[in-house]
Each structure stands twice: as structure tokens, then as C-alpha cells.
Amino acid sequence: MSGAFGPSDSSFGPAGGAGRPLAGRLALVTGGSRGIGRAVVEALTAEGATVLFTFKQAVTEARAVAGQTGATALQLDLADPAAVEHLAAEIQAEFGPVALLVNNGGHALEKLLLDTAIAEWDELMAVHLRAPYQLSRALLPGMIRLGWGRIVNIASIWGMVGAAGEVAYSAAKAGQIGLTKALAQEVGSHGITVNAVAPGAIATAMLSDLQGEDLDRWLERTPVGRLGTAAEVASVVAFLCRPEASFITGQVWSPNGGVVI
């Protein structure tokens, strides 16, 4: 597959180990080279899944994740609809049906609505809404044939309550939550669950600007008194992907330290 590399620049990583909850399941994680996405790749491979993950530009980080986990990295711009469709088709033609889809890839935009350009708005909607729609639509037939599947959309607390200065991002994440709730009702009878994970403030590069007095004020708002970790979010994702989570669908799980209750 063009643009793919695994732990030794091979086209595919090792199969999941027997006896682990997700052994034999093929997973696709978008935005898996760093932050929450990287932690999800690590968690799912530890659970036995065979993982493909996408990245946009972070080649060095993607190679490191592939080398560490045995997952396979695939370069993709989620804002390019043709590229998304092409990659989904290539994956299924080469590797078979994807059983686990984690729509994580994306970025924030801290701007007032009056300062947000149409192009910026459109890009956020393309990455956070259109790409999950495209990938879900492309991969669902394979899940239906399997009679089993998991889709997890990584939303945000701002999709639940909104954030001044992040209107476009909040709208996109609220859209993911709506997508989650509606799609869960369409595909539940096929053994497929669809859930959202809406993190609060997580200690990743996306939150690197939260420092000093701003950080202190945030921690004062947080009942547990600290930022979350990417591994804590990934553990929620991994649970929702396991067989024992089969009665949970259409829900929003929010690891946020109690900021939003």
C-alpha cells in the first residue's frame, strides 16, 4: 500500500495475540501518531488488535509508534475526501473488513466566531465530521458482514457544553455526538455499537498553551485537581471496543475530571 510503513517499514504489523480481548480484530485509528490517538493505538495493540493508524505530517512520530507497537502507519489528510475514500477502499481490499474504527484525528481552533474564516470553518467540519462520516459509511458494510463492530468517535466536552472562543470546534464536536447517537440507532441490530468519548483537559501537545495562571484557573475548576492523561482516555476507548461492552451504544463517555458533570 502506497505511503504505508510498519515497525520495520513493512506493509503490515503483526496479528493480535490469542487470548486477548481484541485478538483477530482489525482496527483503524485516525490521527494515531501522537497524543490521545497514539495512546489509543498502544491500548488496542495491547488488547490484541491488529492496528492501522493514520497520520498527516508527523512522519517521525508515526514511525516511532509503528516501531513501538507493531501497528501500521498510513499517511492521510482527513480534509481530502478523495484520499479518505481511496484509503478506506485500499485497506479493505488488502486487509479485509475493519472491525474497530476510532475517529480521533483532528485539531482545535481557538478563535472567536467573528474572526473565523469560512475556510477554517470548512476544514474543521471536513476533518471532524465529514471524514468520520466517510469512514463509517465505507467500513460499515464490512462490519455488517462480520456481524460485529465498534465505532468510537473522539469528541470533546466542548461538544457537550460549548466553549467561547472555540465556536467552530465546539460545533464540530457537537456534530460528532449527534452522529454517534443517530448512527447507533441505525446499526445496533447488526452487532455494531457506536459511542463517543468526550475528553476534558488532557495533557497533550494540543493543550500546551494552557500554562501559568490559565492552568491554575482550570485546575481550580477541576474537582480532581489535575489534567487528564492520554492513557486514561485510551482506556475508555479500549473498554468500549471490547466484547463485554456490547450493550453500550449511543452514549457519550466523558473523562473530564468532573469539570462537566
Side-chain angles (χ1 to χ4, degrees):
M1 180 181 296
S2 176
F5 54 82
S8 301
D9 289 341
S10 62
S11 63
F12 200 47
R20 289 184 283 176
L22 300 177
R25 303 294 188 184
L26 179 63
L28 174 63
V29 179
T30 63
S33 62
R34 49 193 172 188
I36 291 172
R38 176 174 185 155
V40 170
V41 172
E42 292 169 350
L44 294 184
T45 54
E47 297 269 321
T50 299
V51 180
L52 311 173
F53 70 93
T54 73
F55 69 99
K56 183 179 179 182
Q57 295 175 323
V59 175
T60 300
E61 292 91 338
R63 288 186 185 276
V65 176
Q68 173 191 342
T69 64
T72 297
L74 306 169
Q75 193 160 17
L76 175 68
D77 181 359
L78 290 168
D80 182 343
V84 172
E85 294 286 350
H86 180 70
L87 184 67
E90 273 200 315
I91 287 172
Q92 293 177 100
E94 187 164 348
F95 306 121
V98 172
L100 312 168
L101 170 62
V102 181
N103 289 306
N104 167 77
H107 58 90
L109 179 68
E110 295 186 19
K111 282 191 175 183
L112 297 172
L113 180 65
L114 292 177
D115 296 327
T116 302
I118 290 177
E120 292 173 316
W121 177 279
D122 287 348
E123 183 184 16
L124 275 185
M125 298 305 158
V127 170
H128 292 281
L129 268 181
R130 187 178 65 202
Y133 145 73
Q134 285 186 277
L135 289 170
S136 298
R137 186 182 66 172
L139 301 180
L140 271 170
M143 295 182 189
I144 291 170
R145 288 194 298 272
L146 290 173
W148 196 96
R150 301 285 187 265
I151 298 175
V152 181
N153 297 314
I154 307 300
S156 165
I157 55 170
W158 302 141
M160 300 167 64
V161 299
E166 294 190 58
V167 173
Y169 182 75
S170 298
K173 290 304 187 181
Q176 282 189 344
I177 290 172
L179 172 66
T180 296
K181 291 178 176 292
L183 185 57
Q185 297 178 64
E186 291 190 5
V187 299
S189 63
H190 297 286
I192 301 165
T193 66
V194 187
N195 290 286
V197 175
I202 307 299
T204 66
M206 185 180 287
L207 218 66
S208 59
D209 291 337
L210 187 63
Q211 300 176 6
E213 293 182 358
D214 291 337
L215 176 58
D216 291 339
R217 282 194 294 270
W218 184 267
L219 296 181
E220 288 175 2
R221 294 179 56 191
T222 308
V224 301
R226 64 174 177 84
L227 300 180
T229 69
E232 289 174 314
V233 179
S235 69
V236 177
V237 175
F239 169 72
L240 291 172
C241 289
R242 292 177 191 155
E244 61 262 38
S246 61
F247 200 56
I248 302 169
T249 195
Q251 304 303 306
V252 181
W253 291 56
S254 185
N256 64 61
V259 172
V260 174
I261 295 177

